Amino acid sequence: MTGQHSADADRGRDERDDRRRRTGVPSRRAFLATGAAVSAASLVGCLGSDSPTTATPDAGGEAAGDGSTPGGTASSTGATVSTAGEPEPPWTTEQLADYVGDGAEVTIYAGTGDSQQWYDLVDVINDEFGTSVEATVFASDGAAVSQRLLQERQAGEDAADVISVASNLRDRIKQKGREEGTAYAKEWFEWGIDENFWFGDALPDKRVLPFLVSGFNGGAGVVLPVSTEIFDEQGLDYPETYNDLFDDQYEGLEVAFSGYVSSGMIGWITRYHAAQTDMGEMEWIRSLMDHFEVVGVNSHSAGMREVGKGNAAMMLYNWPWAAAPFVKNEDLAVEGIFTDPAKRNATEGGLSINREAPHPWVARYFVSAMLEKSVQRRILTDVTDQVPVRTDLDLSDIDIDPYTERRLNANLFPIGFWESAEYSTLGQRAVDTGMFEP
């Protein structure tokens, strides 16, 4: 995937930075990038409490324009507020683009660890729909994003408009189960995404929830990394499914595992593939792990490096977006296999709108525009390290690297938001046995 931006996008960003320098206003991008670090451990304690968060009314019912606070009062830093009436749902991107006006601002909190891709996305959206939205991005890991949201909500100082991959908050919603989790999600996110936007009927089943829509990270959600050096030297077949790994040719191979083992990944690998055999679920995963020698690594990235250097034969799993830079690194001998089928979390790359969003109409516009085909296509060419979620795109004129092409065209096993909790519960049972430790 290329990280190259369009000339118009680069020029627009340079012009905005020039304006900041001329007016003496510090870059908000720099401001958030240097924000204080937060503790993921403290988040677990806070989100683990059953005490409700600050009670707030449902968002979305009051006119806010692009830079307004609820009630229609213009924000001091917002753009010109449209005097027209609010667009009627289901909203189209064109309606929302007209409504937000010029110079609108949006603040994005993303647990993707990379802010550049979000600035790229805003540039693409502006270019496609003739807007001039300016973004502020806080990008870190999902725990840090969740912690920041919690702290701001408790202080009554919500800053986020669009929220993506707040993993600890997302997991807390799942853990509560559908009924309690739904009530908890309503405390945090604007409701009605599945009904208020044009894409409610345009996207596949399970990809849109009342508080969440899948916006990026399409295709397979799991990859099996293997060392091409070891496999080729030993004449090993490249497996097509996890059940292939029970073959004698793979016995005794060294498999790299991070100290953090994803219970969701292990749960799906176990449940789906055990069902294809006459073994029980825990018997299946135990038998598979008894087949290998476990090599401990510090992280999933470190595992990719060890496999790429030939120090381990494979990893049992990794996330395709995390594995991509290593697979594409010509100095490493690692290939990513997408099994048949490959797990796909239907709400991967989720986008939500903060219930207390300072700029709710700009947030709605951003979410709407991101799902448009024209924007999704350009994710492959103009957005750093990202792939689209829509599978109905004509990509025939786009030069896609082989890894990404296989990822997008893999045979998928979709898992809904609430279903995924069941796989995590099973996977955690396996993790707790210690079978993935060296």
Side-chain angles (χ1 to χ4, degrees):
M1 217 161 332
T2 177
Q4 182 179 350
H5 314 300
S6 69
D8 288 343
D10 283 332
R11 184 164 57 251
R13 184 183 296 117
D14 292 342
E15 289 172 353
R16 291 196 294 273
D17 290 342
D18 287 344
R19 285 202 302 273
R20 291 191 181 103
R21 285 192 290 270
R22 287 197 300 269
T23 58
V25 178
S27 165
R28 296 182 68 200
R29 185 185 311 184
F31 174 78
L32 281 187
T34 57
V38 294
S39 167
S42 65
L43 172 68
V44 175
C46 293
L47 289 183
S49 170
D50 287 329
S51 301
T53 57
T54 305
T56 52
D58 284 341
E62 300 175 77
D66 58 84
S68 307
T69 56
T73 304
S75 164
S76 60
T77 59
T80 303
V81 179
S82 172
T83 57
E86 294 181 9
E88 291 291 330
W91 301 310
T92 67
T93 303
E94 290 76 10
Q95 285 177 312
L96 295 169
D98 290 341
Y99 188 68
V100 300
D102 293 332
E105 296 183 359
V106 65
T107 298
I108 302 167
Y109 281 17
T112 57
D114 178 18
S115 62
Q116 188 56 53
Q117 58 193 221
W118 298 97
Y119 292 114
D120 293 345
L121 278 164
V122 171
D123 287 338
V124 168
I125 289 170
N126 282 334
D127 186 46
E128 287 292 326
F129 295 97
T131 51
S132 54
V133 172
E134 294 197 32
T136 299
V137 180
F138 171 66
S140 186
D141 59 79
V145 168
S146 301
Q147 177 70 18
R148 188 173 187 133
L149 288 167
L150 177 69
Q151 291 175 332
E152 291 176 348
R153 179 63 59 86
Q154 290 178 334
E157 298 176 351
D158 282 69
D161 296 308
V162 176
I163 300 166
S164 182
V165 197
S167 55
N168 288 36
L169 180 55
R170 176 199 62 204
D171 292 346
R172 182 63 174 160
I173 292 170
K174 292 180 182 178
Q175 291 163 6
K176 285 178 171 289
R178 188 183 294 265
E179 184 175 348
E180 290 187 23
T182 294
Y184 191 62
K186 284 183 176 180
E187 297 179 13
W188 287 96
F189 304 120
E190 177 173 297
W191 214 251
I193 286 180
D194 56 336
E195 297 179 348
N196 290 336
F197 290 84
W198 63 269
F199 52 68
D201 296 326
L203 299 181
D205 187 33
K206 300 182 180 180
R207 292 231 177 128
V208 189
L209 297 176
F211 63 95
L212 180 71
V213 60
S214 178
F216 58 97
N217 269 346
V222 60
V223 64
L224 195 166
V226 301
S227 166
T228 55
E229 177 183 330
I230 292 176
F231 269 62
D232 291 348
E233 285 182 354
Q234 298 186 20
L236 302 176
D237 296 327
Y238 287 84
E240 296 181 1
T241 79
Y242 281 92
N243 278 322
D244 288 347
L245 294 174
F246 282 100
D247 194 272
D248 290 344
Q249 64 181 307
Y250 306 109
E251 186 172 3
L253 290 182
E254 292 185 327
V255 180
F257 271 92
S258 166
Y260 164 72
V261 179
S262 169
S263 59
M265 289 286 201
I266 296 298
W268 177 78
I269 291 170
T270 300
R271 175 155 295 170
Y272 179 84
H273 295 88
Q276 314 303 312
T277 71
D278 58 0
M279 288 186 281
E281 292 170 344
M282 293 300 291
E283 179 189 7
W284 184 91
I285 187 62
R286 169 58 74 184
S287 298
L288 182 66
M289 292 309 300
D290 285 345
H291 211 53
F292 303 129
E293 296 291 334
V294 174
V295 175
V297 293
N298 292 330
S299 65
H300 287 82
S301 294
M304 291 298 298
R305 282 190 291 270
E306 290 302 297
V307 172
K309 293 177 180 178
N311 296 329
M314 65 182 189
M315 299 183 74
L316 196 63
Y317 72 88
N318 209 322
W319 292 271
W321 44 95
F326 300 93
V327 173
K328 298 174 187 179
N329 186 337
E330 295 181 356
D331 293 330
L332 297 175
V334 57
E335 184 57 272
I337 294 175
F338 297 105
T339 58
D340 185 11
K343 177 179 80 76
R344 158 72 187 171
N345 287 345
T347 54
E348 198 72 70
L351 300 171
S352 297
I353 297 172
N354 186 3
R355 177 176 169 171
E356 296 296 317
H359 311 104
W361 285 104
V362 193
R364 294 163 191 153
Y365 166 57
F366 176 85
V367 171
S368 178
M370 188 162 171
L371 271 299
E372 295 281 0
K373 285 186 178 181
S374 59
V375 174
Q376 289 279 305
R377 275 174 45 85
R378 288 182 61 179
I379 287 177
L380 285 168
T381 57
D382 294 271
V383 177
T384 305
D385 294 334
Q386 226 8 297
V387 297
V389 70
R390 294 190 61 164
T391 57
D392 57 346
L393 305 175
D394 179 7
L395 305 177
S396 58
D397 60 337
I398 297 178
D399 185 18
I400 306 174
D401 66 87
Y403 175 82
T404 300
E405 186 173 15
R406 288 188 289 109
R407 172 183 170 184
L408 291 175
N409 292 311
N411 180 27
L412 303 180
F413 184 92
I415 300 173
F417 181 85
W418 301 107
E419 296 173 66
S420 61
E422 301 172 9
Y423 292 99
S424 295
T425 299
L426 170 61
Q428 193 59 50
R429 285 176 54 204
V431 172
D432 289 343
T433 67
M435 70 175 73
F436 307 107
E437 300 172 3

